[in-house]
Amino acid sequence: MLPVPPLPPIGLAGDWCIEASSRSRHAQDLRLQGKGGSAEILFERCAVGRLRDAYPVGLHDVEVQVRACTEDMLPSLLVALTAALGHADPRCPRLVLSRPAADRAFIAEAESAGFRHVVDVDLGSDECSLLAWEPSWASPADADLDRVPGT
């Protein structure tokens, strides 16, 4: 098995203040303060975290768990997080958000920030919707998934 790369420090540009409450080789627990309020975020490599068996994870995939955040701040926070992760780990092909499937308001806000619903999974303790954001280089395939290439 290939070793999972460490998660580099995540920093946000602009008016965000970051305080790391804990950090390990593959995870970071952050408290963020921005113009619109505060948030608590956990970043974790999917290959070693709770999603490792939920889908075919890549070594550089990162899960972001939004533990606390004001709803009106969520889209701008997610946009800032995707930019920050792309800068910190340019090899990361997928930022994955998981949320209880019943949390439709959060899912709609995440979709407005560029995430797309991928699949609902059972993590044992609850059913979650997985949403993904991918940089343009990670998904160069034809977006017309209903058409077989070459036909």
Side-chain angles (χ1 to χ4, degrees):
M1 179 173 179
L2 295 173
V4 177
L7 185 64
I10 307 292
L12 293 175
D15 297 329
W16 297 96
C17 294
I18 301 174
E19 177 188 335
S21 54
S22 69
R23 178 165 167 68
S24 68
R25 180 173 167 80
H26 298 113
Q28 294 177 45
D29 210 342
L30 305 176
R31 289 190 183 102
L32 310 171
Q33 184 70 42
K35 285 188 249 179
S38 61
E40 293 179 20
I41 308 290
L42 172 70
F43 285 99
E44 185 173 41
R45 288 281 188 212
C46 295
V48 297
R50 66 189 190 131
L51 298 181
R52 70 182 162 271
D53 297 322
Y55 75 98
V57 301
L59 290 177
H60 287 270
D61 290 0
V62 174
E63 178 186 10
V64 59
Q65 293 179 39
V66 179
R67 295 184 169 164
C69 180
T70 57
E71 192 172 304
D72 57 332
M73 187 176 90
L74 184 64
S76 63
L77 174 63
L78 292 176
V79 169
L81 292 176
T82 59
L85 188 64
H87 184 266
D89 186 4
R91 295 186 64 198
C92 177
R94 189 171 301 108
L95 183 59
V96 180
L97 262 172
S98 63
R99 200 64 178 183
D103 194 349
R104 303 308 306 159
F106 180 96
I107 292 169
E109 292 292 328
E111 288 174 337
S112 75
F115 283 78
R116 63 182 172 82
H117 179 266
V118 178
V119 68
D120 290 335
V121 297
D122 185 351
L123 296 178
S125 59
D126 56 343
E127 184 179 330
C128 290
S129 291
L130 298 186
L131 296 100
W133 176 87
E134 298 170 323
S136 58
W137 63 264
S139 53
D142 187 354
D144 186 4
L145 298 177
D146 294 328
R147 183 181 59 81
V148 176
T151 61

